[in-house]
């Protein structure tokens, strides 16, 4: 499953996106998700990182594998625990090919 995200990022967008992903994953019974954040623009007054990893970790089932494609300086990957049974696997890549390899879809 793929989500292409574009436009200006605002507070609360990470939570909205996480619940959209959760609904689609549940409805379509998928467990591999690619979220492309490369076309997201940050507002000029924005500070910090997108909290997308935290929101996805809280919203999705543990068996879900999520790969984010986007700039590392905007994504909160340092707060994602690795290898925990009760959390989905989430990884960040700068290139889509690497992301797809991680998802084992290529």
């Amino acid at each position: 499953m793929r989500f292409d995200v574009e436009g200006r990022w605002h507070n609360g967008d990470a939570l909205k996106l996480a619940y959209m992903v959760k609904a689609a994953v549940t409805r379509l019974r998928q467990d591999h998700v690619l979220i492309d954040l490369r076309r997201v623009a940050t507002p000029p007054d924005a500070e910090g990182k997108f909290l997308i990893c935290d929101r996805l970790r809280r919203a999705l089932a543990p068996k879900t594998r999520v790969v984010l494609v986007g700039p590392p300086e905007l994504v909160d990957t340092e707060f994602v625990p690795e290898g925990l049974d009760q959390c989905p696997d989430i990884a960040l890549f700068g290139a889509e090919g690497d992301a797809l390899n991680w998802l084992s879809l290529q």
Side-chain angles (χ1 to χ4, degrees):
M1 178 176 300
R2 179 187 184 99
F3 289 85
D4 289 314
V5 183
E6 56 186 65
R8 197 168 291 265
W9 193 267
H10 298 284
N11 287 338
D13 285 350
L15 186 59
K16 291 175 193 174
L17 178 59
Y19 282 116
M20 285 175 43
V21 170
K22 178 181 180 178
V25 165
T26 302
R27 185 177 63 252
L28 299 174
R29 294 191 171 109
Q30 298 288 316
D31 59 1
H32 287 69
V33 180
L34 184 144
I35 301 173
D36 189 341
L37 299 170
R38 292 177 289 184
R39 288 183 219 92
V40 172
T42 56
D45 60 342
E47 293 182 16
K49 296 185 175 197
F50 303 153
L51 298 176
I52 188 62
C53 293
D54 177 68
R55 302 308 188 250
L56 289 168
R57 183 178 57 82
R58 294 170 189 266
L60 298 176
K63 66 178 183 158
T64 308
R65 294 190 73 176
V66 179
V67 67
L68 302 166
V69 180
E73 62 273 6
L74 295 178
V75 180
D76 63 326
T77 56
E78 63 273 4
F79 301 111
V80 178
E82 294 181 16
L84 294 178
D85 292 337
Q86 299 303 314
C87 292
D89 287 331
I90 301 172
L92 172 68
F93 292 92
E96 188 171 332
D98 295 336
L100 291 172
N101 283 333
W102 187 82
L103 282 176
S104 301
L105 293 179
Q106 267 188 332

